[in-house]
Amino acid sequence: MFSALSGCVVLSSTARGSIFSLRRTYALWQVINIPPAVVGFAVIVQIALVGVFGSCLGLALCWASSPAVFSALFKDIDLFEGVRLLTGLSLYPAVMGVSLLVSVLGGARAARAAACAPPVLALRDERSVEGASARMTPLRWLAALAACAAAAWCVSTVDPALAPVDFGQSTWLVFLPIAIPVLITAFSPVLLPRILRAVTCPLSRWTAWLLARRSARHGLTQSLSIETFLVVAMGIVAGFYSMMDLMGRYATACDLPIGSGFDLDPRLACVMFAGPVILAAVGSCANVVLALRVRERDASLLEVWGATPRQVCVVSVLEAFMHVVTAGSAALIAVVLSNMIAAHALGLGAGSATLSVRFAPAALIAVAGFVVLVVAELMPVFRVIRVAPVRFLNE
């Protein structure tokens, strides 16, 4: 449940990025009179095969390691005493089916892009990259409506008059930290550029900051992948911890005996959030690999225009910082919005919702994302510094 959102977002973005990195190949297919429908079908088959192969590897890893991991995590918890994991062959068809479904759904947009790309345009400009749509597409509107419907359903299950008596009905609110990041992610083409401009304005007179800001804004026009991964990971983790704190405050205010029962065990948090965080890390690394050539050209252009290697490195680090701050700001908006909705459903004020925000658990994800982005930014810079920059401009 927690990993499904990350899986769809990561697979969709990574598949689209890889398709655009292979657009010359697919354009050649169309040049030799292969119909666009066949090209799109071939892309879907490729993505599905990768999903099936990855599922097989994951199932093998699960069969080998899950009993030991489960025992190590929950051996001291009475609730799980005598519980054993089922890793038999009977579960494999369901796991493979879900993985195949996620692969097809996540890769549908990439397949459509490969089939609809004009062959002559792709062959004429091999370095052209994907332009992120600055408007809401029908698929994004559908995702936004689904997230709003899920949030409305969570709120509709709560009756403030009965909550002090039957507090169990309020537990459906824990799904808000999943629904609201979906909503923010759906509106990311509209929100993220504005958030970036807002959080990077104060130091715009510094030359390195100005160059990094313009580079980050240009990066958002090309792909939303970097911010999207971090928004999903940080929004789910921080949102869930904040929701637990809000429910604890409500139970304490109502003098319920379960007021202290909302502490999240770190081992359970590992099980719940490891999937989204690992998927976000995998997606970030994949997009780093896909964007290496473009970043080499950007660093070469800066050096040709007179920037020193030190200045190029500073600009790269600042750009990574701006991406992380933008994603963190969007995730914080998702967390606050989730808490506000839950507080309204429980009859609490806005102050309780704000005081319950716990963004610290997402700080580790932000730091890790910053490290990954800095490495991604500096790797091509160091390569350009060692070699004449004109070489990368002529490639």
Side-chain angles (χ1 to χ4, degrees), residues 23-62:
R23 60 193 175 279
R24 182 178 178 86
T25 300
Y26 299 122
L28 287 172
W29 288 8
Q30 297 190 43
V31 168
I32 60 176
N33 293 326
I34 295 180
V38 177
V39 175
F41 179 74
V43 172
I44 281 290
V45 171
Q46 289 175 334
I47 295 173
L49 289 176
V50 172
V52 170
F53 180 71
S55 299
C56 294
L57 291 179
L59 287 170
L61 181 62
C62 173

